[in-house]
Amino acid sequence: MPRGLFITLEGLDGSGKTTQIKRLAAWMSRRGLPVAQTRQPGGTGLGDHIRAILLDSRSTDVAPMAEMALMFADRAQAIAEVIRPALDAGTMVLCDRFTDSTEAYQGGGRQLGSEVVLELHRLICGNLQPDLTLLLLPGFEVSLARARRRNDRVEQQTGASEGRFEQEQDDFYHRVWQKYREIAARDTGRVVLIEGDLTIDDVHEQIVEAVAERLVLFDQKA
Ligand code: TMP
């Protein structure tokens, strides 16, 4: 049985990943493809605990290295429990954030650099690479405005429970945004950059186009 395709969605907070992942999953299901959806941090029992610690604004003074280690602990569990078994069973896996998020947020935002993130990815994640990464990245001003709007909503809905990253300053988000652009420029074969202030429908269309292309290659390999 051919391994399923591993597709990740990336972008700043408020980039619309969650909406797009749902629409993509529905599109794939309509075509009779088996699909599993997950997200990071979270998506497993252990991961949900880790997510709660990481996003809770009452978790103060978290050292950047500790934050990164928790992201990788979450990821190791998700790979073992959800991602690898699904791929091995021929299921398509759609994952809301993966190691590019750690490179952008901890490597870029927290200024730990890319090298340590990529090295940990090799050691902890067996260097598992997505077949396709859809990076939703409008210009910085638009990205920031959306992130702030989304943060206000999150704060109203969850109070302190998911607000820790939302409290970061604009320069933190600028470093994250810039690191994402670096990743897109480096990994051109894997990352499809979806830029511009597009409508939800336009983004969906671009996503479907990129996925359809990969599915053709996937069918040829099968
Ligand atoms: P989410 O709300 O898109 O699920 O993301 C949760 C937050 O966690 C978001 O602000 C980005 C952050 N994050 C990291 O800083 N590093 C990571 O490796 C991941 C997966 C998420």
Side-chain angles (χ1 to χ4, degrees):
M1 179 186 300
R3 174 184 171 275
L5 274 184
F6 181 29
I7 300 175
T8 59
L9 269 88
E10 292 283 351
L12 259 71
D13 313 74
S15 58
K17 290 178 287 91
T18 311
T19 308
Q20 293 297 340
I21 237 173
K22 278 196 205 127
R23 287 189 66 169
L24 177 58
W27 182 88
M28 291 176 105
S29 296
R30 282 199 301 277
R31 272 149 194 82
L33 297 163
V35 179
Q37 254 177 275
T38 187
R39 68 167 177 180
Q40 294 185 356
T44 63
L46 177 66
D48 288 339
H49 287 303
I50 294 174
R51 181 179 177 92
I53 295 167
L54 280 167
L55 302 195
D56 192 331
S57 54
R58 291 164 299 189
S59 301
T60 50
D61 298 327
V62 179
M65 281 289 184
E67 184 178 89
M68 179 171 61
L70 285 169
M71 295 294 180
F72 273 111
D74 165 73
R75 189 160 300 129
Q77 186 66 26
I79 290 172
E81 198 178 315
V82 178
I83 299 173
R84 279 233 195 256
L87 293 175
D88 290 347
T91 300
M92 312 285 160
V93 175
L94 306 183
C95 191
D96 190 338
R97 299 193 180 279
F98 194 61
T99 298
D100 292 325
S101 280
T102 315
E103 191 176 348
Y105 282 77
Q106 282 67 52
R110 302 277 189 236
Q111 299 178 286
L112 295 178
S114 291
E115 217 157 279
V116 63
V117 176
L118 299 179
E119 186 60 27
L120 284 175
H121 185 71
R122 277 189 285 276
L123 291 170
I124 294 173
C125 305
N127 210 26
L128 175 67
Q129 295 295 333
D131 298 291
L132 172 66
T133 296
L134 301 154
L135 172 56
L136 311 189
L137 203 65
F140 178 65
E141 295 305 328
V142 173
S143 296
L144 187 67
R146 288 192 189 172
R148 294 278 174 233
R149 265 204 305 278
R150 187 246 189 182
N151 298 346
D152 292 345
R153 266 200 319 272
V154 167
E155 219 167 273
Q156 277 166 14
Q157 285 164 8
T158 70
S161 67
E162 287 219 341
R164 199 169 65 85
F165 282 94
E166 281 71 12
Q167 293 165 352
E168 290 301 333
Q169 303 300 313
D170 292 3
D171 56 349
F172 172 86
Y173 280 108
H174 193 251
R175 288 194 298 272
V176 172
W177 182 85
Q178 224 156 3
K179 186 58 85 179
Y180 267 135
R181 292 198 67 86
E182 259 178 65
I183 295 169
R186 179 189 67 205
D187 292 351
T188 49
R190 170 176 68 87
V191 180
V192 171
L193 178 61
I194 299 177
E195 300 178 272
D197 192 9
L198 304 170
T199 65
I200 292 176
D201 286 343
D202 288 343
V203 173
H204 176 65
E205 226 167 86
Q206 290 199 23
I207 286 178
V208 159
E209 203 178 299
V211 171
E213 219 173 88
R214 290 305 196 281
L215 285 172
V216 170
L217 295 175
F218 176 79
D219 285 341
Q220 284 167 357
K221 268 198 272 174

